[in-house]
Amino acid sequence: MRKLILPAFALMVLAQWAVPIKMIVDSESVLTSGTEYKFRTEPVDPSDPFRGKYVTLRFNAAQFQTDTSYKFANGEQVYALLSVDSAGFAQVNNLYADNPSDQNLNILKTRVSYASIYDGKQFVTLDFSFNRFYVEESKASETERVYWEAQRDSAQVAYAIVSIQNGQGIIKELMINDRPILEIVRELNEKERLK
């Protein structure tokens, strides 16, 4: 009996390490090998846009209109077919209840946040898993301020660069007018320090 305890314990420890290591490797694979999309952001309720070390994001592409041939349900897992519009931003072209068999399609696995039918059309709001941009704690408040200023100014364009592979999406960068937001924050901090 004692001879089995040590190998069983070792197997349990290996299993506990294997799961997070696989998650990290999978995420790195998406970031390095995935297809990049620019998702235009839109303002979120300003009463609680920032929670700890991340900025909450909402995306224009998360709103989709379709026919009523298939009625999507709130909370349902779906597969969104992505494409790029004329301005270079990601958009959802179609939704599928089941994963399409064609692996060449640019598919994002997501959930329906809300679905409703009005005037013969179905309106679906998707809940993208990459709706948080994490930042270092020391840069958190300045990042939030820069992002919200950009959201209020219609002349500025805010978007996230998201890498997508095998249905999984991960944010690579949050951009303001084609510049990384953390670069903007760093420049503002340097200017403040020189004053």
Side-chain angles (χ1 to χ4, degrees), residues 63-84:
Q63 321 307 317
F64 184 71
Q65 179 182 323
T66 186
D67 60 34
T68 57
S69 59
Y70 177 87
K71 292 183 175 66
F72 293 98
N74 297 348
E76 179 181 359
Q77 179 177 292
V78 294
Y79 299 87
L81 174 63
L82 300 177
S83 68
V84 178

